[in-house]
Amino acid sequence: MIRTAILISGGGSNMVRLAESMTGDHPARPVLVVSNRPDAGGLLKARDMGIDTAIVDHKDFADREAFETKLHETLLAANPDVICLAGFMRVLNGSFVQKWQGRMLNIHPSLLPKYKGLHTHQRAIEAGDTEAGVTVHMVTPALDDGPILGQARVPVLASDTPDDLAARVLKAEHALYPAVFRRFVEQLN
Ligand code: GAR
């Protein structure tokens, strides 16, 4: 069984889809959901699904290194094989990433390499793009830059606000992340 930890910062809809997918003959199971925000809605959803949760609040630490040391220790206690970032909104520093390199995936709401970082939907609309989408990729020390494991595309409509586009992309995320994750863990077995 491939032990999977999921890192969140918010509502956790991708976390729910990932966790729901890990049943039956799926080789992975969710063992821990960690949030850097104590008020993240996803924490309650994880608990409702019977998944252990932990909070490592970045505001409790003097600097990024201290935060990441605690995050690393918290993860180690659950002994995960793989980590999924699912709406985790803290940039992770190179030394943390190196510890989990090759075993950490991220979902990013753009067609990478376009629009790394924040405000992806607004940037796609402002650029006049006619399509947008989502990418699942391996996490490497450079932000939103690791090898791409899968992408899904959606149209951008002329009337779209960033929220409209975000909602359309999020639906595509919910299909893409579980599919790519399953393919990833199957090749680990
Ligand atoms: C998702 O759209 C995800 O792609 C994005 O945050 C949202 C989280 O939603 N992630 C990033 O922007 C990472 N830089 P969720 O909490 O409902 O899964």
Side-chain angles (χ1 to χ4, degrees), residues 134-163:
V134 52
T135 303
V136 176
H137 65 97
M138 300 302 304
V139 178
T140 57
L143 181 70
D144 298 331
D145 195 52
I148 290 173
L149 301 178
Q151 290 186 312
R153 289 162 193 277
V154 302
V156 181
L157 307 184
S159 59
D160 273 348
T161 64
D163 284 351

Side-chain angles (χ1 to χ4, degrees), residues 12-165:
S13 68
N14 279 290
M15 175 277 295
V16 168
R17 297 307 174 107
L18 280 171
E20 282 175 350
S21 74
M22 290 183 236
T23 55
D25 64 354
H26 196 297
R29 289 292 182 271
V31 295
L32 182 67
V33 169
V34 186
S35 174
N36 67 304
R37 295 182 52 120
D39 59 350
L43 285 168
L44 283 178
K45 294 177 192 162
R47 286 178 205 137
D48 281 349
M49 296 174 81
I51 306 168
D52 284 349
T53 61
I55 297 165
V56 183
D57 186 347
H58 60 279
K59 293 190 182 132
D60 291 343
F61 299 88
D63 53 31
R64 190 186 299 276
E65 195 183 334
F67 165 66
E68 291 182 2
T69 298
K70 181 66 181 176
L71 185 60
H72 185 62
E73 285 169 7
T74 303
L75 287 165
L76 279 185
N79 194 26
D81 302 300
V82 174
I83 297 172
C84 292
L85 307 184
F88 185 70
M89 301 306 284
R90 301 300 295 175
V91 171
L92 294 167
N93 158 315
S95 66
F96 179 91
V97 171
Q98 269 160 16
K99 291 185 185 110
W100 298 100
Q101 196 152 342
R103 299 191 287 148
M104 184 154 61
L105 281 61
N106 181 42
I107 188 158
H108 182 76
S110 78
L111 293 171
L112 290 173
K114 273 188 157 180
Y115 313 130
K116 298 174 181 177
L118 298 175
H119 310 302
T120 55
H121 307 302
Q122 190 180 331
R123 288 155 72 198
I125 290 169
E126 282 172 6
D129 293 354
T130 54
E131 75 176 359
V134 52
T135 303
V136 176
H137 65 97
M138 300 302 304
V139 178
T140 57
L143 181 70
D144 298 331
D145 195 52
I148 290 173
L149 301 178
Q151 290 186 312
R153 289 162 193 277
V154 302
V156 181
L157 307 184
S159 59
D160 273 348
T161 64
D163 284 351
D164 295 333
L165 182 55

